[in-house]
Amino acid sequence: MQRIIYLFLCCLPLAQVSAQSTKELQVDGIKVIYKKTEKDVITVSVALRGGVANITNDQQGLEALAINTALEGGTTTIDKDALAAERDKLGTEFYANANSDFSTLNMACLKENWNRSWQLFSDAVIHPAMDEQEFKLLLDKQLASVKQAEADPDGYLRRLAQQQLFAGSDYGKRANGTSETLPKLTAAQAKTYYQQLLGKKNIFIVVVGNVDEADLKEKVRSSFGQLPQGRAPKMPVAAKFKPGVSITDRDIATNYIIGTGDAPKYFTPDGPLFEFAMSILYDRYFVELRTKRSLSYAPASYYNDDNIQQPVANFYITTIDPKQSLQVMTDIINDVKEHGFTEKEVNDKKRQYLTRFYRTNETSGGQATVLGQCEAAGNWRIFDEINSKIDQVTAADVNGIFRKYVNEVAWTYLGKKDKVQEGDFKQPVSMKQPPKVKAPAKN
């Protein structure tokens, strides 16, 4: 949620962002996003664009395995055990993340160990041994994690919702794989795939920390400058949103429900406002569904931008009374559409977001993550311009965006089938007039 602060500036002209502490460098055809800080922990992220657009249905989980094997399996010059031992001695961490739209190979190190840490990291990224034994260990670990998620009702609910919404599209693929696809993947596939993925056209690098710019350029040039041009980056293709109801019977103690609605893209003027609105709806859900009615321990609503090209709105609850819960959830949505959020709710939420921003800035890793997400979505430049738009947001802005997008919901249900009927899963009311703004309650 903290990214909303940065995203409020997406409509600013570039002239207003000239005075920034973050720079974009071009080093031998590679984009480098460089943020110099006084922090002694330095974070480096090598981002690979494309995500699930890079893989076929049979290759689900391959990119995650490939990038983890690259970082953990040693290099062509140092075996994995020696590499792990030296990393431990230096206090240097390597870690990888596979996402729907892009993946990252990451390093965090102390400034005093920057030179040697960069040598080890760049060697692992560019010259990985792709050790077959390490691949098998990581595959077993990833398969166990996926099976655990599929057995967990919460994880299975989200998989059902993904299938309902994105079947046949890129976002119907799972970046970390499935219990069906993972056992069929091989170390040879991972090695070939990784070699094809790593190219200048398909990567960008984010560096945050107390690093000299000239030194960084030289390090990138001498290591990543040797990469081939590679292929142009791919972009996942979104699916057409369709409302509806999917009911899956399972004899469990509590019933799981997630509603999915249309939402603006991450990097548009509407995106941050909509995320802001969904976070206020979250507060209303918590008060009404948990505090007042005790229908759920953890009701939620949120702007889900895991898929950059097709973010969604989510309305979530676990409950023993799905009929009443569904009615209340829809009633709250309809009340917001008719009357809107109050100015007090909007002003209170502004302070929360500012708090999250400052907490995010406490670590170089947090800043590198947000910079990478902004760049993958379209533009890293919004990161540094935190305060200039947030105070200008009004309840009328937020209410207008909520009304614009929350009109249809695809409902996914996992639980006792006899507890619900399809008619219990209602759609929000359609409104022809803009919502009224409630005046703050008098004390």
Side-chain angles (χ1 to χ4, degrees):
M1 285 186 177
Q2 64 267 28
R3 287 196 304 271
I4 186 173
I5 305 297
Y6 316 132
L7 296 177
F8 268 108
L9 297 129
C10 61
C11 55
L12 281 176
L14 293 181
Q16 294 186 33
V17 295
S18 57
Q20 294 183 347
S21 60
T22 307
K23 293 183 178 181
E24 178 180 315
L25 312 174
Q26 288 292 332
V27 183
D28 280 3
I30 299 171
K31 179 182 284 190
V32 180
I33 301 165
Y34 159 64
K35 185 175 181 68
K36 182 174 176 60
T37 71
E38 297 306 313
K39 299 181 184 299
D40 287 332
V41 175
I42 301 168
T43 299
V44 180
S45 291
V46 177
L48 312 172
R49 299 182 187 269
V52 291
N54 293 326
I55 58 175
T56 66
N57 286 326
D58 292 337
Q59 291 176 325
Q60 292 178 76
L62 183 59
E63 186 163 316
L65 282 170
I67 60 178
N68 277 284
T69 303
L71 287 188
E72 299 297 335
T75 78
T76 55
T77 59
I78 180 171
D79 67 57
K80 62 178 184 178
D81 293 330
L83 177 59
E86 186 164 5
R87 283 168 45 195
D88 287 344
K89 183 179 179 180
L90 295 170
T92 298
E93 297 180 356
F94 291 179
Y95 54 99
N97 292 308
N99 303 296
S100 295
D101 294 87
F102 70 108
S103 297
T104 58
L105 301 101
N106 310 284
M107 176 189 74
C109 70
L110 297 173
K111 176 177 171 55
E112 63 190 75
N113 298 323
W114 164 240
N115 289 331
R116 182 55 178 162
S117 296
W118 176 271
Q119 290 175 350
L120 296 174
F121 177 67
S122 59
D123 192 29
V125 174
I126 301 169
H127 304 115
M130 301 303 286
D131 182 79
E132 186 170 356
Q133 182 181 3
E134 185 67 23
F135 173 86
K136 291 179 179 178
L137 291 172
L138 289 169
L139 189 150
D140 289 342
K141 182 179 179 181
Q142 193 163 314
L143 181 59
S145 177
V146 166
K147 286 183 175 180
Q148 183 177 3
E150 291 173 353
D152 174 66
D154 225 5
Y156 188 52
L157 175 76
R158 282 164 172 75
R159 181 175 182 182
L160 291 172
Q162 182 182 26
Q163 292 171 342
Q164 180 182 353
L165 287 166
F166 304 124
S169 74
D170 283 330
Y171 287 135
K173 306 168 193 171
R174 299 180 69 82
N176 288 311
T178 71
S179 56
E180 295 81 24
T181 62
L182 286 172
K184 300 175 184 178
L185 302 177
T186 67
Q189 283 180 295
K191 183 176 182 178
T192 300
Y193 178 85
Y194 186 80
Q195 290 171 342
Q196 295 173 346
L197 191 64
L198 199 64
K200 291 182 180 180
K201 291 182 179 180
N202 199 48
I203 73 169
F204 64 88
I205 300 173
V206 180
V207 179
V208 178
N210 194 354
V211 180
D212 178 75
E213 181 178 338
D215 176 57
L216 174 61
K217 287 181 178 179
E218 178 56 32
K219 281 180 165 56
V220 173
R221 184 177 295 109
S222 62
S223 52
F224 290 90
Q226 64 187 277
L227 290 177
Q229 289 298 313
R231 64 191 185 192
K234 295 183 179 180
M235 182 180 294
V237 178
K240 184 178 180 180
F241 179 80
K242 296 179 180 179
V245 179
S246 173
I247 298 173
T248 300
D249 188 32
R250 179 180 280 191
D251 187 13
I252 48 182
T254 187
N255 307 285
Y256 291 73
I257 303 168
I258 191 164
T260 306
D262 200 7
K265 285 188 178 182
Y266 175 86
F267 191 71
T268 65
D270 285 356
L273 284 174
F274 188 75
E275 185 176 29
F276 197 89
M278 290 297 292
S279 68
I280 304 177
L281 184 68
Y282 177 101
D283 296 338
R284 288 206 179 183
Y285 271 12
F286 190 89
V287 170
E288 192 66 32
L289 292 160
R290 176 177 171 171
T291 305
K292 291 185 177 180
R293 298 175 184 259
S294 300
L295 287 169
S296 175
Y297 177 75
S301 71
Y302 49 95
Y303 173 84
N304 183 345
D305 61 352
D306 288 345
N307 301 330
I308 290 174
Q309 297 305 318
Q310 192 167 10
V312 294
N314 281 142
F315 314 95
Y316 168 85
I317 196 167
T318 60
T319 179
I320 60 173
D321 190 344
K323 284 180 178 287
Q324 184 182 175
S325 297
L326 283 162
Q327 184 64 58
V328 175
M329 291 170 77
T330 308
D331 286 346
I332 294 172
I333 291 173
N334 291 338
D335 180 70
V336 174
K337 293 189 73 175
E338 181 178 358
H339 300 290
F341 297 113
T342 68
E343 291 286 359
K344 183 178 186 305
E345 286 176 307
V346 172
N347 289 332
D348 288 347
K349 188 57 63 176
K350 290 178 186 179
R351 289 190 286 270
Q352 291 180 28
Y353 273 107
L354 286 171
T355 299
R356 291 191 184 100
F357 166 75
Y358 291 122
R359 292 171 70 178
T360 297
N361 268 302
E362 288 176 358
T363 68
S364 60
Q367 294 179 61
T369 296
V370 177
L371 275 168
Q373 289 166 335
C374 289
E375 173 60 25
N379 193 339
W380 59 266
R381 289 178 173 83
I382 50 177
F383 179 80
D384 282 328
E385 300 292 327
I386 173 67
N387 294 316
S388 62
K389 284 289 184 181
I390 184 66
D391 286 336
Q392 300 176 27
V393 175
T394 67
D397 296 328
V398 179
N399 293 333
I401 290 297
F402 188 86
R403 175 178 175 267
K404 179 178 178 180
Y405 288 96
V406 183
N407 293 298
E408 295 179 315
V409 178
W411 292 103
T412 308
Y413 175 87
L414 177 66
K416 294 182 175 66
K417 191 174 182 178
D418 59 2
K419 289 281 188 178
V420 293
Q421 296 177 349
E422 189 165 331
D424 297 324
F425 298 85
K426 298 177 173 60
Q427 294 296 316
V429 296
S430 177
M431 294 184 61
K432 296 182 179 180
Q433 299 297 324
K436 303 171 185 176
V437 179
K438 284 184 179 179
K442 294 182 179 180
N443 293 328

